[in-house]
Amino acid sequence: MSHALEGVRILDFTHVQSGPTCTQLLAWLGADVIKVERPGEGDPTRGQLRDIPDVDSLYFTMLNHNKRSITVDAKKPRGKELLERLIRHCDVLVENFAPGALDRMGLTWERIQSLNPRMIVASVKGFGPGPYQDCKVYENVAQCAGGSASTTGFDDGPPLVTGSQIGDSGTGLHLALGIVAALYQRQSSGRGQKVLAAMQDGVLNLCRVKLRDQQRLARTGVMEEYPQYPDGKFGDAVPRAGNASGGGQPGAILKCKGWETDPNAYIYFITQAAVWEPICRIIGKPEWITHPDYATLPARLPRLKQIFDTIEQWTQTKTKFEAMEILNQYDIPCGPILSMKELAEEPSLRATGTVVEVDHPTRGKYLSVGNPIKLSDSPSEVTRSPLLGEHTDQILAELGYSEDQIAALRADRAI
């Protein structure tokens, strides 16, 4: 069965996380991704956070599945000529260099267009045009500059970054969508174009509900579903809301049986108005169904802390999975706090390919995340990440290099 992006060739100049996330997703969808790396060094994450000496790290392997690796020294004349051949050969160039790096390599937009007018050049940058466009950005910087950190955490504590890599991986996912859209448009226009995904923009897009709340706060001065209501004070910016829901349905993380020794023995519980009656019956408070202090959502909002404290008395008598089983019978929205260990061992995630076991020639078997996007006519197969320069000769042969020319490149240390 063919793959959705079969026949699309990606020239992958990316490194670390944001760019490799993008190109790995395209590779999972069937594109031929050619990862360009420096001879002898490669992507810096090959050596970062190693758990096995002299073996590609999990940081690298889990972001570079389904790709081919070629080594090129762009500072050598023969290496630069090789890169220009690759540009003629490919459909998309993806990069997450520091601003201006491609230009300094001689690969300006104008030069790339002269080599291949159909080439799409896709870039991850920290910031878009503006006062910070030349600043270097990493994951946590993007979370802070994009609005996530200021709205994450508890009101009496400092801003917090989240464990989800919304700055790097989140922006990579945005860029992948932009690339697919540009490829689709090229079918009618015949032209390539530039695609930009700025990390600040990507984080802000994922924080859009907080921008919604900023405007609500400016208009009303108060947000009733936030834990600061009714006893706390609101300032002029959206506050940190702890574990309150981002929507209109009040929610909280509650202790479950075993919480004293298990740091993840918790459940997220949402007091959705539509299921308020079964909630009251389950927790032993049937009188709340009609009591004027609890019968309606507006009446409950000033009493949320008391309500969740009472619900927690019930959840502490159940494991998180026992509570889930009971609550789901009544369509009460809830979810267990699952640890990485539990997710790694969950059979259903293995069955769907969301968690996969991959065999690597030097690392051996390891777990990774598979393609989160499932296409019915184009199932994804996760293959291992490439060794440094593993496919150099193969790719050069596809570009028309003879054995003698490959030998000359190697003698010149251009590959």
Side-chain angles (χ1 to χ4, degrees), residues 143-194:
Q143 290 194 28
C144 293
S148 175
S150 70
T151 56
T152 302
F154 291 92
D155 192 45
D156 58 354
L160 288 177
V161 297
T162 173
S164 300
Q165 303 290 282
I166 61 174
D168 275 323
S169 288
T171 306
L173 296 173
H174 282 94
L175 187 66
L177 176 59
I179 289 169
V180 171
L183 285 167
Y184 183 81
Q185 188 173 16
R186 194 180 69 174
Q187 291 181 354
S188 57
S189 71
R191 300 192 309 272
Q193 62 181 299
K194 291 187 283 186

Side-chain angles (χ1 to χ4, degrees), residues 50 54 72 88 101 122 128 136 152 174 178 187 199 218 295 299 322 365 382 408:
R50 273 185 172 140
D54 302 320
V72 183
R88 294 188 185 97
K136 182 178 286 188
T152 302
H174 282 94
Q187 291 181 354
M199 293 173 72
E322 290 170 343
K365 292 183 178 180
V382 176

Side-chain angles (χ1 to χ4, degrees), residues 70-228:
I70 181 173
T71 54
V72 183
D73 186 346
K75 295 180 180 179
K76 304 278 184 161
R78 282 194 175 100
K80 185 175 179 181
E81 189 275 334
L82 168 55
L83 287 183
E84 292 191 346
R85 277 212 205 186
L86 283 166
I87 289 170
R88 294 188 185 97
H89 180 70
C90 293
D91 299 285
V92 184
L93 185 156
V94 189
E95 60 92 14
N96 61 336
F97 291 131
L102 269 186
D103 291 353
R104 291 189 292 273
M105 293 169 61
L107 296 177
T108 63
W109 168 247
E110 291 74 20
R111 177 58 180 161
I112 292 170
Q113 283 284 284
S114 71
L115 295 168
N116 183 353
R118 291 173 57 83
M119 172 66 76
I120 293 161
V121 177
S123 303
V124 170
K125 299 302 174 199
F127 295 95
Y132 306 116
Q133 62 187 18
D134 294 328
C135 295
K136 182 178 286 188
V137 174
Y138 290 96
E139 170 65 45
N140 289 352
V141 175
Q143 290 194 28
C144 293
S148 175
S150 70
T151 56
T152 302
F154 291 92
D155 192 45
D156 58 354
L160 288 177
V161 297
T162 173
S164 300
Q165 303 290 282
I166 61 174
D168 275 323
S169 288
T171 306
L173 296 173
H174 282 94
L175 187 66
L177 176 59
I179 289 169
V180 171
L183 285 167
Y184 183 81
Q185 188 173 16
R186 194 180 69 174
Q187 291 181 354
S188 57
S189 71
R191 300 192 309 272
Q193 62 181 299
K194 291 187 283 186
V195 180
L196 171 65
M199 293 173 72
Q200 181 186 43
D201 299 359
V203 171
L204 180 56
N205 184 46
L206 297 174
C207 292
R208 67 179 67 187
V209 297
K210 299 301 182 180
L211 186 59
R212 171 204 66 191
D213 290 348
Q214 180 62 45
Q215 295 169 87
R216 293 173 55 227
L217 179 63
R219 186 178 298 277
T220 65
V222 65
M223 291 182 291
E224 294 180 346
E225 79 282 4
Y226 273 58
Q228 288 81 358

